[in-house]
Amino acid sequence: MSLTVSNLSFSYGTAPVLQNVSFSLGEGQLYALLGANGAGKTTLFRCILGLNEKYEGSIIVDGSEVRSLTPRQLSHRIAYIPQIHYPAFQYSVLEMVLMGTTHRLSAVASPGKWENNDALQALQTLGIEHLAHRDYGKLSGGEQQMVLIARALVQQTKLLLMDEPTASLDYGNQLRVLYAVRRLARDGYTILLSTHNPQHALSYADRVIALAGGTLAADGPTQEVLSPALLKTLYGVEAVFSSDGRYILPQEVL
């Protein structure tokens, strides 16, 4: 599943948020989307998901312009994983995952045998099948995030958008989720994951896409583009990398 963004611009009223942003996602890779607060990451996601329709430029997913697709058609092409979600009602883990199959059902149909099998397979893929009948609301934050990823997997698309999936997790759960995400990329999924932690990008991402002031500041292999100069541009901090290039060591906030 491919995604190509070309000369994308978007404004809220007279205030420009994205300006001439272009990049392409290749299959089977994990992309980290970096940028400070207000850089345009959320707006970019909303454009790709068809929520901000009045953009300039083009967003092509699997050969089709996003604006030409209905929500149901788009859900066959892109799965979205938000930050931890707290539903208003009590649902089991299996029920939460089955919500990802609704785009293939008619308005009056309920999930059946095939959908249940797909949901259980998604849980098994992530190693959390033992949680199937647990109350979603009583899980740990890391477990809840893994359930949301499983819900995306049953949409049966290979393109995943993840909006800061580790933002509210403790250190251990951050690593567990990121490891699972990287494993999905190795299994052929194309993943665009936004994060406020450039160390996550350095440790797990194949490529980095960075936004600064609504424009594209970097796009390329992580080891080539993630540098002290880029971190200063994005976040206004001085940093160095460890001698083996595996760790970011912040020095001074400007």
Side-chain angles (χ1 to χ4, degrees):
M1 188 71 68
S2 61
L3 173 72
T4 300
V5 175
S6 300
N7 300 315
L8 177 65
S9 296
F10 183 85
S11 299
Y12 290 109
T14 59
V17 181
L18 297 173
Q19 303 176 65
N20 297 316
V21 173
S22 298
F23 62 87
S24 296
L25 304 186
E27 295 183 2
Q29 291 192 307
L30 173 56
Y31 293 76
L33 177 63
L34 299 179
N37 291 333
K41 301 188 302 298
T42 298
T43 299
L44 174 62
F45 271 17
R46 288 181 60 84
C47 290
I48 295 172
L49 293 168
L51 301 175
N52 290 342
E53 296 181 345
K54 297 182 179 179
Y55 56 79
E56 298 178 7
S58 66
I59 304 174
I60 307 297
V61 56
D62 195 26
S64 298
E65 168 63 50
V66 164
R67 279 177 297 211
S68 71
L69 299 171
T70 66
R72 182 179 288 267
Q73 290 172 329
L74 193 56
S75 67
H76 282 277
R77 293 167 170 80
I78 302 176
Y80 173 65
I81 297 96
Q83 297 180 32
I84 290 177
H85 168 65
Y86 300 99
F89 302 98
Q90 286 187 327
Y91 292 105
S92 71
V93 165
L94 184 59
E95 288 170 332
M96 284 292 293
V97 176
L98 282 170
M99 292 178 188
T101 68
T102 56
H103 67 291
R104 358 176 191 156
L105 304 173
S106 68
V108 296
S110 298
K113 175 181 177 180
W114 296 111
E115 288 76 27
N116 273 271
N117 287 341
D118 288 344
L120 291 171
Q121 179 60 52
L123 292 171
Q124 185 176 1
T125 296
L126 295 171
I128 56 171
E129 65 273 17
H130 60 286
L131 301 177
H133 301 292
R134 291 273 303 277
D135 183 339
Y136 171 81
K138 295 181 179 179
L139 300 181
S140 71
E143 289 170 335
Q144 288 182 337
Q145 195 65 57
M146 296 288 270
V147 172
L148 295 180
I149 295 173
R151 185 177 68 178
L153 296 186
V154 299
Q155 286 185 225
Q156 298 183 341
T157 172
K158 288 289 190 176
L159 177 57
L160 308 179
L161 299 189
M162 298 186 174
D163 184 11
E164 299 179 34
T166 63
S168 59
L169 303 183
D170 62 42
Y171 180 69
N173 279 320
Q174 288 179 27
L175 299 185
R176 293 182 187 96
V177 168
L178 288 169
Y179 177 79
V181 171
R182 184 173 64 181
R183 186 156 45 88
L184 289 174
R186 298 298 176 265
D187 289 340
Y189 286 87
T190 300
I191 302 170
L192 179 60
L193 179 152
S194 69
T195 177
H196 280 300
N197 190 337
Q199 182 63 55
H200 289 171
L202 183 62
S203 299
Y204 292 95
D206 301 299
R207 298 178 68 88
V208 163
I209 296 170
L211 296 177
T215 63
L216 191 68
D219 175 16
T222 302
Q223 299 296 329
E224 294 180 14
V225 304
L226 192 54
S227 65
L230 180 62
L231 295 178
K232 186 173 182 180
T233 296
L234 299 182
Y235 307 110
V237 298
E238 298 283 359
V240 296
F241 285 61
S242 61
S243 58
D244 59 6
R246 297 175 57 189
Y247 301 102
I248 299 170
L249 308 173
Q251 293 187 312
E252 181 180 356
V253 178
L254 302 181

